Amino acid sequence: MSFKKMRDFSHTLSFRLAIWYAGIFLVSMLLLLSIFYYYITSNVIKNMDLSLEEEMREFCSLMDKSGLQSVKKYMAIEVESEAEDVFFRLVSADGQEIDMATNYSFKDVQLLDKFIPLVKNNAANIFATIHVTDYPNRLRVVSGEIGQGVILQTGQSFEYYEKFISILNNFLFLVALPLFVLSTIVGWFMSRQALKDIEKVTLTAEKIAQGDYNQRVELQQSTLEVEKLAHAFNNMLDRIQALIKGLKEVTDNIAHDLRSPLARIRGKAEMTLVSKNFPTDCGTMAASTIEECDNLIDMINTMLDITEAEAGVGHTEQETVAINDLMLSACELFEPIANEKGIKLKVVLPESQLYFKGDKHKLQRMVTNLIENGIKYNRPGGTVTVTLKEADRELQILIEDTGIGISEQVLARIFDRFYRCDASRSEPGLGLGLSLAKAIARASGGDIQVKSTINAGSLFIVSLPL
Ligand code: ADP
């Protein structure tokens, strides 16, 4: 996966949701474990303290009844009989060790000395948890007075508790880690599932942006929120489509309504001109009326053609068109005009015939508009090269000229209706040819791109999907 793909992937909502899901799972698991550890530890310590207190009470009553010697003997018996690691230490009130009995090697005995003054000051049993050298587990120890001036110190190891915790840790590691990975994967799939329908909305919006206003979001059994979004989106599209349709109908009607009176005016002017029964001035006027009418009718027809091409996105007439032949005949058509202007018209075609499924007449108009511009906005001695090729599963028509070029500032506007660059206003034209060419390319599922350098020439690339 490339760096860009990885970066894009990390910006997806699915990825972020999965990370959040895994993060929340991890934090809640840690929180639960902490509570569990705290609960177990405090309970273990409570139980240890209870049993140590019980032990102290036993020694107290023994000291009371039978004296120090019996205590020492009992200590020895306890140490012998106990399976667990235990120790007993008798200390005088001034800190002198009287006796020590243990069934394991207890170094660091002096660690216990610090509790003796506390026993004297508090007159109570003092509990503490300590770590001693060379002993793997912690110890819970108690120090308390069992007779006049005699302090007993004893303790229990955390051995069983720590064994239990280590087993629990191993278990958790074995279970929690796969569970964490699994929860991340499940989180990823769940968020993907939830966002799949949103992707459908995006896809529909993209298709609409390409000009297919008939697209709608279709969902089967989605979540309520996404269903609401799709419903609102579809409603909005219905409304927009109705508005566009209304607007187009108005312009179309105006164009239609203008066409008939214009044709009538033109017809009358023509009749006047043919009859020759009029002064010369009237003849000139009739001729210019015919010319203006022709321009207006041409403009109206092109506007209607653009509307038709745009409305017909995905619904153009489909026939298999031999593109090599189409290009050749278009160039033959323009050969005399190019010669007249001193421009060389070159055609580069692939050896084998290329075919495209589309509307032949419209494709012809698209190509001729582009070739015509290449000649029109060229200079004497210039060249127009028309190339046809197949690349990346698309058909490409390249029309390159060595003409006046288009400045970068206006390059994006040349496909707008009625737009004409200042430099080309001296040439005849309506500013509709490129709009029509683009509408046809898009209606055929393709597009037109342009590259141009002012005073050097332009390159128009028509790409049509195969
Ligand atoms: P027009 O009828 O004016 O040719 P088009 O829609 O075909 O209308 O073109 C729009 C404008 O784009 C033109 O007026 C011209 O300024 C510019 N243009 C189009 N093709 C070329 C080209 N090959 N070289 C330079 N300018 C061009």
Side-chain angles (χ1 to χ4, degrees):
M1 203 188 275
S2 72
F3 176 72
K4 190 183 171 300
K5 270 191 184 164
M6 259 165 71
R7 206 193 54 195
D8 288 353
F9 176 67
S10 68
H11 281 138
T12 60
L13 197 54
S14 316
F15 176 78
R16 289 184 183 186
L17 278 177
I19 289 290
W20 270 101
Y21 188 78
I24 290 171
F25 178 82
L26 196 71
V27 170
S28 15
M29 209 165 73
L30 286 176
L31 205 74
L32 258 171
L33 278 180
S34 313
I35 295 170
F36 182 65
Y37 273 113
Y38 174 77
Y39 181 76
I40 292 219
T41 314
S42 56
N43 260 300
V44 164
I45 291 178
K46 208 154 89 189
N47 284 336
M48 276 179 158
D49 288 359
L50 279 175
S51 103
L52 288 172
E53 211 157 40
E54 178 63 33
E55 193 109 53
M56 289 303 271
R57 266 200 298 275
E58 275 179 32
F59 275 96
C60 262
S61 67
L62 189 66
M63 181 76 177
D64 209 26
K65 280 187 207 146
S66 319
L68 188 62
Q69 287 313 313
S70 301
V71 168
K72 285 185 184 174
K73 260 190 219 157
Y74 188 61
M75 273 167 44
I77 296 167
E78 279 277 283
V79 163
E80 284 289 307
S81 61
E82 197 59 70
E84 288 175 37
D85 293 343
V86 285
F87 78 90
F88 295 97
R89 186 187 187 220
L90 280 174
V91 190
S92 66
D94 56 6
Q96 292 299 312
E97 190 175 288
I98 304 168
D99 193 15
M100 171 89 189
T102 174
N103 57 4
Y104 64 98
S105 124
F106 190 153
K107 295 175 185 166
D108 299 338
V109 181
Q110 64 282 4
L111 269 179
L112 300 170
D113 290 348
K114 62 178 179 228
F115 302 118
I116 296 180
L118 294 175
V119 174
K120 281 195 288 178
N121 292 343
N122 293 305
N125 290 337
I126 301 295
F127 293 91
T129 303
I130 59 165
H131 245 304
V132 292
T133 329
D134 287 346
Y135 191 69
N137 311 110
R138 286 172 304 152
L139 291 173
R140 186 71 179 164
V141 294
V142 61
S143 310
E145 205 162 15
I146 56 166
Q148 195 61 45
V150 181
I151 291 166
L152 175 72
Q153 293 188 303
T154 184
Q156 278 181 10
S157 159
F158 275 86
E159 186 186 352
Y160 287 107
Y161 164 75
E162 269 160 15
K163 259 187 197 155
F164 167 71
I165 291 293
S166 112
I167 291 171
L168 192 74
N169 279 347
N170 286 344
F171 172 76
L172 284 177
F173 189 73
L174 282 178
V175 172
L177 197 74
L179 212 70
F180 173 69
V181 175
L182 195 77
S183 77
T184 314
I185 296 170
V186 168
W188 160 256
F189 274 111
M190 274 167 60
S191 52
R192 287 274 316 142
Q193 203 59 29
L195 295 173
K196 216 170 70 189
D197 290 335
I198 294 184
E199 261 171 35
K200 275 191 191 164
V201 180
T202 314
L203 262 169
T204 312
E206 276 169 3
K207 281 187 188 155
I208 292 164
Q210 284 166 10
D212 189 356
Y213 297 101
N214 292 318
Q215 286 287 329
R216 291 295 178 271
V217 185
E218 275 164 34
L219 298 177
Q220 284 123 18
Q221 285 190 332
S222 186
T223 50
L224 195 65
E225 292 88 342
V226 180
E227 262 176 28
K228 272 188 181 171
L229 171 73
H231 191 66
F233 189 72
N234 286 345
N235 276 348
M236 182 189 75
L237 287 176
D238 288 344
R239 182 97 190 91
I240 292 174
Q241 201 175 20
L243 281 172
I244 293 176
K245 200 167 160 247
L247 265 174
K248 278 195 174 150
E249 269 170 15
V250 171
T251 34
D252 286 359
N253 287 344
I254 294 173
H256 267 296
D257 292 352
L258 277 175
R259 200 158 50 169
S260 318
L262 272 172
R264 278 199 299 274
I265 295 169
R266 188 190 183 283
K268 278 188 185 154
E270 207 168 29
M271 271 168 64
T272 315
L273 202 61
V274 178
S275 72
K276 298 209 169 79
N277 224 350
F278 53 85
T280 334
D281 285 356
C282 282
T284 319
M285 195 193 80
S288 75
T289 306
I290 290 171
E291 200 184 314
E292 290 302 331
C293 283
D294 281 345
N295 281 344
L296 279 170
I297 291 168
D298 189 24
M299 184 184 87
I300 290 167
N301 284 340
T302 315
M303 268 172 71
L304 290 173
D305 288 340
I306 296 172
T307 311
E308 190 197 307
E310 282 177 351
V313 173
H315 307 285
T316 45
E317 249 176 61
Q318 300 283 302
E319 58 183 300
T320 306
V321 186
I323 303 294
N324 295 38
D325 295 349
L326 184 143
M327 303 284 296
L328 217 54
S329 61
C331 289
E332 275 167 10
L333 190 74
F334 281 99
E335 192 77 61
I337 303 168
N339 284 341
E340 201 178 298
K341 290 189 88 177
I343 291 159
K344 217 169 154 195
L345 186 57
K346 282 201 271 182
V347 203
V348 183
L349 297 175
E351 272 176 22
S352 56
Q353 182 75 258
L354 295 182
Y355 294 94
F356 180 74
K357 253 188 169 344
D359 185 320
K360 188 177 174 186
H361 177 65
K362 284 184 179 150
L363 291 171
Q364 248 164 356
R365 284 198 75 181
M366 175 185 73
V367 173
T368 49
N369 273 350
L370 293 170
I371 300 176
E372 189 186 4
N373 279 352
I375 297 169
K376 195 159 69 169
Y377 303 113
N378 217 319
R379 281 175 288 225
T383 320
V384 175
T385 315
V386 182
T387 314
L388 172 68
K389 62 179 183 183
E390 194 185 333
D392 288 339
R393 297 178 66 204
E394 62 178 25
L395 200 144
Q396 285 190 344
I397 301 166
L398 294 86
I399 292 137
E400 192 170 16
D401 65 67
T402 54
I404 58 170
I406 306 156
S407 74
E408 216 182 312
Q409 294 94 301
V410 299
L411 203 59
R413 299 188 57 195
I414 58 166
F415 293 101
D416 292 349
R417 283 180 210 192
F418 298 110
Y419 185 80
R420 305 197 73 208
C421 302
D422 291 338
S424 47
R425 286 192 191 274
S426 54
E427 291 293 334
L430 298 167
L432 288 173
L434 285 181
S435 313
L436 178 64
K438 186 123 178 159
I440 294 171
R442 286 196 167 176
S444 314
D447 208 349
I448 303 182
Q449 309 292 332
V450 59
K451 291 175 191 166
S452 187
T453 312
I454 195 95
N455 290 329
S458 311
L459 169 66
F460 286 83
I461 306 167
V462 183
S463 29
L464 300 169
L466 280 174

